[in-house]
């Protein structure tokens, strides 16, 4: 998963891997944070904006629904609407502060399959932060076994305490 973090400062890029309750993060463009894979305790991130795969909600969609302002059908299986990120419980308040009212009207599109399962969620951050990457998640192979491989141990360090505190803020 690749994530761009909303901020009034330069966009921070992140790659995340979650397996067996451990999150691995590779952060780019965040001053003072080493570039490379860092290991974080997934339980310690629960309830923060880095709680990207909460238990029983692998899409994290329930968190986003708290910010749903509007949604309408857009063709067969499609939806489009607006999110108010200030109402999303895991959104980092200090990152949203610089966006002002723009954080209250973030467009999104979504698709569901014929069984009503979310297959695409695309949050249009570019509309509120020029140059930001969209948050786009696609879901496939429902019910199929998956295999997630953590980064190689030789390329991974435990995240320093000050980095964990900054990422959780």
């Amino acid at each position: 998963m690749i994530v761009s973090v909303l901020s009034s400062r330069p966009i921070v890029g992140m790659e995340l891997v979650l397996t067996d309750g451990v999150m691995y993060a590779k952060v780019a463009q965040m001053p003072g944070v080493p570039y490379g894979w860092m290991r974080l305790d997934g339980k310690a991130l629960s309830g923060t904006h880095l709680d990207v795969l909460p238990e029983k909600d692998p899409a994290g969609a329930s968190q986003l629904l708290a910010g749903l302002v509007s949604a309408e059908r857009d063709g067969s299986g499609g939806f489009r609407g607006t999110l108010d990120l200030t109402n999303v419980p895991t959104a980092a308040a200090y990152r949203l502060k610089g966006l002002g009212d723009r954080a209250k009207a973030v467009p999104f599109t979504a698709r569901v399959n014929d069984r009503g399962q979310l297959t695409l969620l695309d949050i249009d951050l570019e509309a509120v932060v020029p140059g930001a990457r969209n948050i786009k998640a696609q879901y496939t192979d429902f019910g199929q076994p998956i295999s997630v491989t953590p980064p190689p141990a030789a390329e991974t360090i435990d995240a320093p305490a000050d980095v964990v505190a900054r990422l959780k803020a």
Side-chain angles (χ1 to χ4, degrees), residues 67-158:
L68 186 64
V69 174
S70 68
E72 60 186 48
R73 287 202 173 271
D74 186 18
S76 178
F79 297 88
R80 61 186 163 124
T82 306
L83 295 171
D84 178 349
L85 297 181
T86 65
N87 288 329
V88 174
T90 56
Y94 82 92
R95 290 195 174 107
L96 298 176
K97 185 177 179 180
L99 297 176
D101 287 339
R102 295 179 295 168
K104 295 181 179 188
V106 180
F108 76 92
T109 56
R111 295 201 58 76
V112 296
N113 63 17
D114 58 357
R115 293 171 51 196
Q117 296 166 312
L118 182 65
T119 59
L120 172 71
L121 178 62
D122 190 355
I123 301 171
D124 188 1
L125 296 180
E126 172 70 25
V128 295
V129 181
R133 292 181 183 168
N134 287 3
I135 295 175
K136 185 175 184 177
Q138 292 182 288
Y139 305 96
T140 61
D141 301 326
F142 294 96
Q144 299 298 313
I146 62 165
S147 175
V148 179
T149 304
E155 297 175 18
T156 305
I157 63 169
D158 287 326

Side-chain angles (χ1 to χ4, degrees), residues 11-22:
I11 300 300
V12 173
M14 240 186 280
E15 290 181 61
L16 303 173
V17 173
L18 182 67
T19 182
D20 297 327
V22 178

